[in-house]
Amino acid sequence: NAVIYRADYQPPAYWIDTVDLCFDLDPAKTRVLNKMKVRRNPQVAPQPLKLDGDELNLARVLVNGQGTSFKMEGDRLVLENLPEGDAPFDLEIFTTCAPAKNSKLMGLYTSNDSFFTQCEAEGFRRITYFLDRPDVMASYTVTLRADKQKYPVLLSNGNLVDQGDLDDGRHFAKWVDPHRKPSYLFALVAGQLVCREQKITSRSGNDHLLQVYVRAGDLDKTEHAMNSLIASVAWDEARFGLPLDLERFMIVATSDFNMGAMENKGLNIFNTKYVLASQATATDTDFMNIESVVGHEYFHNWSGNRVTCRDWFQLSLKEGLTVFRDQEFSQDLAGEASARAVKRIEDVRVLRTAQFPEDAGPMAHPVRPEQYLEINNFYTVTVYEKGAEVVRMQQTLVGREGFEKGLAQYFQRHDGQAVTCDDFAQAIADANPGSHLANNLEQFKRWYSQAGTPRVKATTRFENGTYEITLSQSCPPTPGQAAKEPFVIPVAWGLVGADGREVAGGMQVMTQATETIRVDGLASEPVPSLLRGFSAPVVLEWDATDAQLLALLEHDTDPFNRWEAAQRLGVRRMLDAIRGSGAITLDDAYLQAMRSILRHPKLDAAFKELVLTLPAETYVSEQLDEVDPQRVHAVRESLREQLASALAGDWAWAYEEHKENGAYRPDHVSAGRRALAGLALTHLCIAARSSGDTVWPGKAYQRFKDASNMTDRFNALSALVVSGHELSRPALDRFHGMFRGEALVLDKWFALQAGAPDRGGNVLPVVRSLMQHPDFNLRNPNRARSLIFSYCSANPGAFHRADAAGYVFWGDRVLELDGVNPQVAARLARAMDRWRKLAEPMRSAAREAIARVAAKPDLSNDVREVVTRALA
Ligand code: BAL
Ligand code: ZN
């Protein structure tokens, strides 16, 4: 229960070379026989062997076949009388555990009468005593024994080398993993599963068997996951020369899973949310997410599994890199430049609405954290998404080809090793001597060590045909880091002339606190386009005029900054209203600009949808020193209503123009059309609320009933719910009736109601009553997230109530969940991260609610760490 520090890293005192595990699977009491070959690490002074364990029943310990003395230090099993010298010895440990009682979903657990494992980060110690740390890599042989009728499918990592029947209706399967791996990549699955399989031959001519395992009845929802896997294998080989190194690659879906998915070697275990999709049950977003998560887990096979982390502080080594790789994969699959830009905007939106607040709050930490109490709390948007931006900047600084060379260098140098973020950056730099990265490597690595979002302030001057842009960087203090040194910041820039044409452009690689870009010989003052493509994860402080932003929205050749101009125009109007009287009337210039984007003959529908979507409430709130979330919500709603009413004719045109897509395909072009039609329908229903019109809500209801796919159906349902139309009730009831057997669709049904716009405090009572719904189940993470998180974390206008009832609900749920699944509880605890920014009386009420949670004596480390930091 102590804080762990990166600076305290010590190499392991022992190595474990081989592990032979034998499981007798039983939900109530599973027996685990673990035979290891262990040897001392000659580089470390002799000391006892201390094995990690958690909630295990220890039955026997043998060293070289003989009973031995041992003692317990907390959860650790300590062996002192071990053979002298460096020669390997046999260590045999026999334990039992209770998978059916494992509601934490870490280690070995049951879900729907099947067995699954989750070992990252520290779940393997809940299966057997072990050196459960990523720098101890071993060769695994696994034998699974279980009732044949109940558990006909028995899977583990690697290759199936033997199987057969045993007495009493039991059977066995023996698996050998040809690759050494750390314990967090171990996996087993046993249950009644069916699989879709596909044989493929890779570019290099090797044959592989790909399998996707699901429950019977779900097989018709696995085609997209399989296609995504096939595409992932091909992409990694084509783009980075990284082939599949296994004969067999399996994906298994389970509906009880803490995370999205897990990259266990050769046996990825997935949340059903990221596997199952059919046009009737999954939206376009679900299809895209499946593609990217399947890609992400597959890409880990190299970036994570072949080269892993020395310790958990290095988590971003594999996660930042693999998010970067999955983002690139999705962009490459999207194809055209405009579709790539849409994906980039979506990724940046996640970063700015989730990671920037994290970087400014009590849980702020560097991409490579310095300390943790519970590592599960550090699977964060900082480690993942900001980590990916840090990798992306390295690519920017060495160029795309240089980055490919750098990655090849990294894998060549470190294949089979457990390494650090420093090793990664060093390899990329070494492969690119003379590059901006190589020339500034130590300074660049501050991105790994300094927390907080840097701010780049831009000021401009035009005199005698010379345009100057002065850029100054700073970074606010974060917990434990009062002062920051300058970062290396690549700022992609361009100048747009008065006639809308590009007049200059380049990349300023900032290394100093202040730098100036100068362009001579200009006939008139241009408009600067800065941080193109979001070339660095910073806040750009630029006091642009409306005219400059409107010019960029119309002319910028950089689609990201075109979108960004619209965001700035929207944010400015919202902030003016929030800081002012709370009321605002949208100006013609803004409305006209939005109209011309909506009606633009050449722009993609997906891009239009992004431009016409107002900045999120959380993003707007981050721009304020003190936040009244209800006021932010009210202002955004007011703007949306005006946008809806003023452009009603244009929205009607957009809906009619984009609503028909022919046969459903989840490709980017038709998904973009559906997205824009959905946004239009929402605005038309919102406009109908003020005008009293019944035609559009009626059309939305009809669309909801007749839709041929989930995207259109859900968008129509959402339009009714968001606009608060009375037809939303029968539509919600009908939706539930149609999909009562589809867990993932019911998650959407819960989430939509919990995330609905608040009208006079009506959402919390709905959430409370949905907690009593027969389909609600707190123990299922997806369901808990769909109802509770959708309310507490994703609906600020409804959650932050002046009467504090939202906070009381939050505290009760955190404590309730902590008794079931601390990892999920700690995520929910993070809903209060930004409490210090709240206006009174919410701030005091929030502090009281957090203090009430913190006062509970037997809190998990997970929740304790979050609430303690929040109050610090
Ligand atoms: N390694 C945990 C799940 C993921 O990031 O792929
Ligand atoms: Zn990952």
Side-chain angles (χ1 to χ4, degrees):
N1 284 3
V3 173
I4 319 249
Y5 295 91
R6 182 175 72 90
D8 289 347
Y9 173 82
Q10 295 290 334
Y14 291 80
W15 298 112
I16 300 176
D17 292 325
T18 64
V19 186
D20 187 337
L21 286 166
C22 185
F23 289 84
D24 273 299
L25 292 165
D26 183 302
K29 186 176 179 182
T30 286
R31 293 160 212 273
V32 184
L33 181 60
N34 171 8
K35 295 183 182 178
M36 294 169 273
K37 283 243 180 274
V38 183
R39 62 190 161 87
R40 290 182 194 275
N41 179 353
Q43 259 120 44
V44 174
Q47 54 190 279
L49 172 59
K50 299 185 176 185
L51 297 167
D52 305 297
D54 183 21
E55 296 186 22
L56 296 171
N57 303 304
L58 178 60
R60 191 173 72 221
V61 185
L62 302 179
V63 172
N64 286 335
Q66 304 291 315
T68 184
S69 60
F70 60 85
K71 66 177 186 185
M72 301 303 298
E73 266 181 22
D75 286 332
R76 283 187 171 171
L77 172 65
V78 180
L79 301 172
E80 285 168 325
N81 301 315
L82 294 169
E84 305 268 317
D86 296 344
F89 57 89
D90 293 330
L91 175 59
E92 184 176 319
I93 298 179
F94 185 56
T95 51
T96 65
C97 58
K101 287 204 186 129
N102 183 357
S103 63
K104 294 180 181 170
L105 310 183
M106 286 296 284
L108 177 64
Y109 64 93
T110 56
S111 161
N112 291 315
D113 301 323
S114 293
F115 289 90
F116 298 93
T117 53
Q118 172 56 36
C119 293
E120 189 177 359
E122 297 178 337
F124 193 70
R125 65 188 62 183
R126 295 168 58 78
I127 295 174
T128 183
Y129 284 100
F130 206 72
L131 289 173
D132 192 14
R133 46 187 285 168
D135 55 354
V136 172
M137 285 192 265
S139 298
Y140 283 67
T141 300
V142 177
T143 305
L144 304 174
R145 294 197 290 241
D147 185 282
K148 188 172 182 178
Q149 221 176 356
K150 287 190 194 149
Y151 310 105
V153 172
L154 302 174
L155 308 175
S156 191
N157 319 82
N159 297 317
L160 180 63
V161 297
D162 197 8
Q163 60 184 327
D165 291 339
L166 301 165
D167 295 340
D168 304 331
R170 291 170 76 75
H171 70 147
F172 78 96
K174 183 172 180 183
W175 293 81
V176 175
D177 189 341
H179 298 276
R180 287 164 71 243
K181 64 172 177 285
S183 51
Y184 80 88
L185 291 174
F186 167 82
L188 78 78
V189 171
Q192 296 199 356
L193 301 164
V194 291
C195 93
R196 173 187 292 269
E197 59 182 30
Q198 176 92 38
K199 290 194 172 124
I200 58 160
T201 304
S202 67
R203 281 162 77 99
S204 38
N206 294 319
D207 293 331
H208 309 277
L209 176 64
L210 308 181
Q211 296 180 311
V212 179
Y213 285 86
V214 294
R215 293 173 75 192
D218 283 337
L219 208 52
D220 60 342
K221 301 195 191 86
T222 54
E223 187 184 354
H224 183 65
M226 178 59 89
N227 288 342
S228 301
L229 180 57
I230 294 167
S232 305
V233 176
W235 181 85
D236 217 11
E237 211 172 359
R239 170 92 186 253
F240 289 117
L242 299 172
L244 176 52
D245 58 5
L246 292 156
E247 289 164 33
R248 182 199 278 244
F249 190 92
M250 297 169 278
I251 285 177
V252 186
T254 171
S255 52
D256 290 292
F257 207 65
N258 285 345
M259 303 198 245
M262 177 62 211
E263 71 263 23
N264 317 298
K265 187 77 187 183
L267 179 58
N268 287 186
I269 298 182
F270 270 60
N271 189 320
T272 43
K273 185 174 165 60
Y274 297 111
V275 175
L276 303 180
S278 71
Q279 97 180 50
T281 57
T283 61
D284 292 328
T285 304
D286 295 325
F287 276 88
M288 304 294 171
N289 287 342
I290 288 168
E291 178 185 284
S292 96
V293 178
V294 167
H296 180 98
E297 304 313 329
Y298 176 74
F299 304 141
H300 267 314
N301 193 48
W302 278 92
S303 48
N305 300 5
R306 287 285 286 249
V307 180
T308 193
C309 306
R310 185 194 72 173
D311 54 71
W312 290 122
F313 297 102
Q314 317 297 330
L315 184 56
S316 196
L317 172 80
K318 72 182 181 76
E319 296 305 345
L321 175 55
T322 305
V323 171
F324 167 79
R325 275 152 55 68
D326 84 51
Q327 290 175 348
E328 289 289 289
F329 168 65
S330 294
Q331 282 200 19
D332 286 352
L333 253 53
E336 307 228 344
S338 56
R340 298 177 72 92
V342 164
K343 169 69 177 148
R344 179 69 184 141
I345 292 167
E346 288 168 348
D347 291 339
V348 172
R349 212 160 52 167
V350 171
L351 188 83
R352 294 207 301 205
T353 54
Q355 198 279 326
F356 281 18
E358 178 167 275
D359 236 350
M363 283 292 287
H365 53 277
V367 166
R368 183 190 54 212
E370 292 296 338
Q371 61 182 76
Y372 60 76
L373 179 59
E374 173 51 66
I375 184 59
N376 287 328
N377 284 331
F378 288 84
Y379 285 72
T380 58
V381 274
T382 298
V383 166
Y384 276 64
E385 272 72 20
K386 186 175 179 181
E389 294 299 320
V390 173
V391 173
R392 183 173 297 283
M393 284 189 288
Q394 292 178 60
Q395 175 174 264
T396 302
L397 294 175
V398 302
R400 204 171 137 119
E401 268 181 36
F403 186 75
E404 281 162 22
K405 271 198 315 199
L407 209 58
Q409 167 88 281
Y410 169 68
F411 286 119
Q412 197 206 341
R413 218 179 247 184
H414 298 298
D415 192 9
Q417 298 175 4
V419 304
T420 64
C421 297
D422 285 333
D423 294 322
F424 177 80
Q426 192 69 52
I428 306 294
D430 287 353
N432 293 279
S435 64
H436 285 294
L437 181 67
N439 292 348
N440 302 287
L441 184 60
E442 288 313 309
Q443 187 182 353
F444 181 84
K445 288 196 296 189
R446 289 177 190 156
W447 282 108
Y448 287 107
S449 59
Q450 295 189 145
T453 306
R455 307 180 87 84
V456 174
K457 186 170 175 55
T459 51
T460 60
R461 200 163 72 135
F462 183 63
E463 233 175 62
N464 302 328
T466 298
Y467 196 63
E468 281 185 2
I469 307 169
T470 300
L471 302 171
S472 304
Q473 60 163 307
S474 62
C475 185
T478 48
Q481 290 186 337
K484 313 286 167 98
E485 299 296 321
F487 291 85
V488 176
I489 303 180
V491 180
W493 61 274
L495 298 183
V496 178
D499 57 359
R501 290 211 208 135
E502 182 97 354
V503 292
M507 174 77 70
Q508 180 76 15
V509 178
M510 284 188 83
T511 55
Q512 308 298 311
T514 299
E515 295 185 14
T516 300
I517 301 167
R518 249 179 226 97
V519 181
D520 298 320
L522 297 175
S524 58
E525 181 169 357
V527 179
S529 171
L530 300 171
L531 206 69
R532 284 183 156 173
F534 201 66
S535 55
V538 302
V539 172
L540 175 66
E541 293 179 346
W542 173 41
D543 200 9
T545 62
D546 268 12
Q548 288 176 310
L549 294 172
L550 289 165
L552 291 179
L553 180 56
E554 197 178 343
H555 299 298
D556 202 335
T557 51
D558 180 58
F560 179 86
N561 269 0
R562 235 174 148 175
W563 169 79
E564 176 73 334
Q567 293 285 293
R568 284 177 184 269
L569 288 164
V571 167
R572 170 173 300 167
R573 279 151 182 77
M574 283 192 249
L575 292 179
D576 285 348
I578 292 162
R579 292 183 180 131
S581 67
I584 186 168
T585 305
L586 279 179
D587 49 295
D588 281 348
Y590 177 76
L591 287 169
Q592 190 49 43
M594 291 297 128
R595 177 179 288 122
S596 59
I597 293 289
L598 186 54
R599 293 264 190 180
H600 200 288
K602 295 216 180 90
L603 291 172
D604 290 350
F607 181 76
K608 292 181 179 185
E609 196 268 342
L610 291 172
V611 172
L612 271 295
T613 299
L614 289 170
E617 286 167 34
T618 44
Y619 183 66
V620 176
S621 297
E622 284 303 311
Q623 324 299 318
L624 295 160
D625 294 330
E626 187 178 81
V627 182
D628 175 351
Q630 293 189 9
R631 190 174 174 87
V632 174
H633 174 70
V635 164
R636 188 176 186 274
E637 285 296 283
S638 160
L639 247 60
R640 195 154 66 145
E641 274 167 30
Q642 292 178 50
L643 205 52
S645 302
L647 303 189
D650 308 281
W651 289 119
W653 168 84
Y655 180 71
E656 298 298 348
E657 189 73 10
H658 295 92
K659 72 175 194 246
E660 295 307 340
N661 275 301
Y664 178 81
R665 283 185 55 226
D667 64 285
H668 288 264
V669 173
S670 55
R673 293 174 64 86
R674 277 186 290 275
L676 187 57
L679 188 74
L681 193 56
T682 297
H683 282 82
L684 289 161
C685 288
I686 289 172
R689 193 175 60 217
S690 10
S691 69
D693 160 53
T694 55
V695 173
W696 280 107
K699 279 195 187 187
Y701 191 74
Q702 201 60 38
R703 180 74 167 173
F704 159 73
K705 282 202 304 181
D706 299 345
S708 69
N709 61 78
M710 179 52 83
T711 307
D712 287 337
R713 192 185 304 284
F714 193 75
N715 282 347
L717 176 65
S718 168
L720 291 169
V721 171
V722 165
S723 62
H725 197 273
E726 61 191 17
L727 283 171
S728 61
R729 193 62 261 164
L732 281 165
D733 292 345
R734 192 181 175 108
F735 189 81
H736 182 269
M738 289 173 78
F739 297 104
R740 63 176 73 242
E742 297 283 353
L744 296 172
V745 183
L746 290 187
D747 290 338
K748 297 182 196 304
W749 182 80
F750 279 102
L752 182 61
Q753 295 175 80
D758 201 54
R759 298 199 164 83
N762 67 332
V763 176
L764 180 56
V766 170
V767 172
R768 282 194 181 282
S769 91
L770 285 172
M771 294 273 305
Q772 309 304 319
H773 194 283
D775 290 326
F776 183 72
N777 172 12
L778 188 80
R779 300 172 86 84
N780 174 253
N782 285 359
R783 193 53 53 82
R785 287 187 278 255
S786 73
L787 181 59
I788 301 169
F789 288 51
S790 296
Y791 174 66
C792 299
S793 309
N795 195 348
F799 176 58
H800 296 280
R801 296 162 54 113
D803 68 1
Y807 305 152
V808 173
F809 175 82
W810 166 85
D812 290 345
R813 300 291 83 74
V814 170
L815 294 175
E816 193 179 2
L817 267 168
D818 202 32
V820 176
N821 188 330
Q823 211 172 311
V824 177
R827 294 281 156 159
L828 180 61
R830 300 276 320 262
M832 292 293 228
D833 264 13
R834 303 298 273 142
W835 71 272
R836 282 185 198 277
K837 276 182 85 129
L838 293 169
E840 291 294 1
M842 272 135 357
R843 181 151 32 122
S844 298
R847 181 175 35 221
E848 206 174 299
I850 302 168
R852 180 170 72 95
V853 171
K856 178 115 188 303
D858 54 350
L859 279 184
S860 66
N861 277 348
D862 310 56
V863 170
R864 189 153 54 88
E865 181 167 42
V866 172
V867 293
T868 308
R869 284 199 187 214
L871 293 172

